[in-house]
Amino acid sequence: MATATDNATPAPAVARREAVPLSVYVHLPWCVRKCPYCDFNSHRAPTDLPEEAYIDALLADWALACTRENRTVDTVFFGGGTPSLFSAAAIGRILTAIDDRLGLAADCEITLEANPGTTEHARFADLRAVGVNRLSLGIQSLDEDCLRTLGRIHGAAEALAAIDDARAGGFDALNCDLMFGLPGQDVERAMRDLDPIMARDPGHISYYQLTLEPNTPFYRHPPALPDEDTVVEIFEQAGKRLVAAGYAQYEVSAWAKDGATCRHNDNYWRFGDYLGVGAGAHGKRTRADGRIERTARQRWPTGYMSVAGRPASITETRVLTADDARFEYLLNGLRRRAGVSREEYEQRSGLCWAELGDALATPIAQGLVAFDAQGLRATDRGWRFLDTILAELLP
């Protein structure tokens, strides 16, 4: 064995399931324009957005998704697409349905993604009034050339105004998405993106490297990206500035001030459960027998609306094997600075901690992970080699 741990038997399945937090993900699939780097299930919005018909379908889907479920909902996340294309009244209908069926926790975190080009002060205030309490703004860059290359529909002035409008609309909890490693970007240009955002003091900043995903225009016709040394320097310099401004990196791409971490995303990373509704939405739930089930919905919006609420809307159901569960748990858990705790690992996977140590014997010996009787985390060196660590666990 890689380290001395006892072989305590995980808690019974029903007790484990009841202890796993439950989130809800709601997918709203339309955008004003599809960005050339985006591989999400998003589609250009028709001139007449079928808001009412889609919400009706979502509510039927929700009735199906929450059957055999009795846990209160801890977090809700409206993703897309561009959820801010939908009216506050539509968002309110969904939240009411979730609350009626399962109940929203008293401190439920309710996040909605918004793009600066589709928002204004009045809409933010209306969203706040129906219960949304956290906004995630897809800013990506403040460089006008980069924004054009990325296919964004907003400029720098609109992005900064959206932050101010969100504050004026009553949002204290705010995330700003930024990307780095953009075409033509050097360290100086990257910091000119970051500094004005930090100056407006959002509690949370997501800082993602641009990657060329298959089945996107950027993958088929790659733009000229900065070299690897420049990308590393950008990330290191950004990290120093973020720390100096009071942010802590709690996940590979997530930085937050005290009390401002994204609970919804952290539930994903900690192998919590979530019910997914909407076109192409994925879900993960712990069944009463303790086994872990993943599901996926029909991807195309028109097809989804025609079958929502019926079993035909679920295009994939997969029950994880023990090897699958171990790999998927660590795929996300090792992205967290805090890593994985033994208690949560055994509770949420149903697997034995000692056997995890055996599976990771090589990365432990290489100093890529720190493993003991209570926890597992990537070392500072190991964070640069997460793919190498995970390769040891591939089913």
Side-chain angles (χ1 to χ4, degrees):
M1 289 182 51
T3 190
T5 59
D6 63 76
N7 287 282
T9 302
V14 173
R16 288 197 296 105
R17 179 184 182 277
E18 293 301 314
V20 179
L22 181 68
S23 296
V24 174
Y25 174 76
V26 182
H27 193 71
L28 305 177
W30 288 290
C31 293
V32 173
R33 183 170 62 201
K34 178 85 169 178
C35 297
Y37 59 85
C38 178
D39 70 336
F40 295 156
N41 184 38
S42 58
H43 309 269
R44 185 164 186 159
T47 303
D48 185 16
L49 187 72
E51 178 177 283
E52 185 174 1
Y54 189 76
I55 300 304
D56 287 343
L58 270 176
L59 299 189
D61 192 7
W62 171 244
L64 175 66
C66 68
T67 55
R68 297 166 310 183
E69 187 55 70
N70 59 4
R71 288 171 288 176
T72 300
V73 175
D74 288 333
T75 70
V76 180
F77 196 102
F78 291 89
T82 304
S84 51
L85 290 175
F86 282 71
S87 68
I91 302 301
R93 284 184 65 196
I94 299 168
L95 290 173
T96 297
I98 295 172
D99 196 28
D100 286 346
R101 289 275 184 165
L102 293 182
L104 299 169
D107 64 344
C108 187
E109 175 193 88
I110 303 173
T111 302
L112 182 135
E113 291 182 335
N115 281 339
T118 62
T119 55
E120 71 279 338
H121 177 122
R123 178 165 292 189
F124 285 144
D126 290 344
L127 287 168
R128 188 71 187 88
V130 299
V132 179
N133 53 30
R134 184 176 182 271
L135 277 181
S136 181
L137 293 173
I139 290 172
Q140 316 310 358
S141 177
L142 298 176
D143 185 301
E144 301 292 352
D145 288 338
C146 287
L147 287 170
R148 280 191 291 272
T149 302
L150 293 174
R152 305 299 289 171
I153 63 171
H154 67 270
E158 289 173 294
L160 295 175
I163 299 174
D164 298 337
D165 286 346
R167 294 288 193 213
F171 283 93
D172 296 322
L174 183 64
N175 169 64
C176 293
D177 278 353
L178 281 177
M179 302 174 73
F180 69 97
L182 304 180
Q185 193 177 62
D186 57 20
V187 175
E188 182 180 352
R189 289 179 71 179
M191 296 309 105
R192 288 204 298 266
D193 276 353
L194 184 61
D195 288 344
I197 300 298
M198 292 192 301
R200 281 164 170 76
D201 196 30
H204 194 285
I205 295 176
S206 297
Y207 200 54
Y208 301 102
Q209 181 182 351
L210 173 63
T211 55
L212 305 182
E213 301 291 350
N215 302 315
T216 64
F218 269 13
Y219 189 82
R220 293 189 293 271
H221 306 285
L225 300 180
D227 60 51
E228 185 175 353
D229 288 344
T230 300
V231 169
V232 170
E233 187 177 359
I234 290 172
F235 192 66
E236 289 178 349
Q237 290 299 319
K240 291 176 182 177
R241 294 192 187 210
L242 285 160
V243 169
Y247 292 86
Q249 185 184 26
Y250 70 101
E251 189 267 349
V252 170
S253 301
W255 299 76
K257 293 195 169 182
D258 286 345
T261 58
C262 179
R263 288 166 45 203
H264 185 89
N265 285 346
D266 207 38
N267 192 41
Y268 291 155
W269 300 325
R270 293 165 70 174
F271 216 55
D273 284 353
Y274 54 96
L275 304 178
V277 293
H282 289 246
K284 177 254 175 186
R285 62 188 295 270
T286 306
R287 305 193 320 188
D289 63 4
R291 301 179 74 189
I292 296 162
E293 176 183 276
R294 291 197 179 273
T295 54
R297 258 64 178 167
Q298 163 68 255
R299 287 177 55 85
W300 292 102
T302 51
Y304 165 81
M305 286 189 287
S306 71
V307 294
R310 305 203 301 269
S313 64
I314 302 174
T315 58
E316 180 185 355
T317 299
R318 180 169 62 94
V319 178
L320 303 188
T321 66
D323 286 344
D324 289 335
R326 180 183 296 114
F327 177 77
E328 292 186 17
Y329 195 110
L330 296 186
L331 179 66
N332 291 308
L334 285 175
R335 292 176 60 90
R336 301 177 68 244
R337 272 293 188 186
V340 172
S341 78
R342 174 182 181 164
E343 179 182 7
E344 284 192 358
Y345 178 80
E346 293 190 333
Q347 174 197 85
R348 299 183 186 187
S349 72
L351 302 175
C352 175
W353 187 249
E355 292 174 357
L356 176 59
D358 292 340
L360 287 169
T362 299
I364 291 170
Q366 294 172 334
L368 300 180
V369 294
F371 179 81
D372 59 27
Q374 300 304 321
L376 166 72
R377 62 174 179 81
T379 62
D380 288 343
R381 178 169 174 262
W383 252 44
R384 300 195 298 270
F385 298 99
L386 288 180
D387 288 347
T388 300
I389 298 169
L390 292 167
E392 293 290 320
L393 299 169
L394 278 171

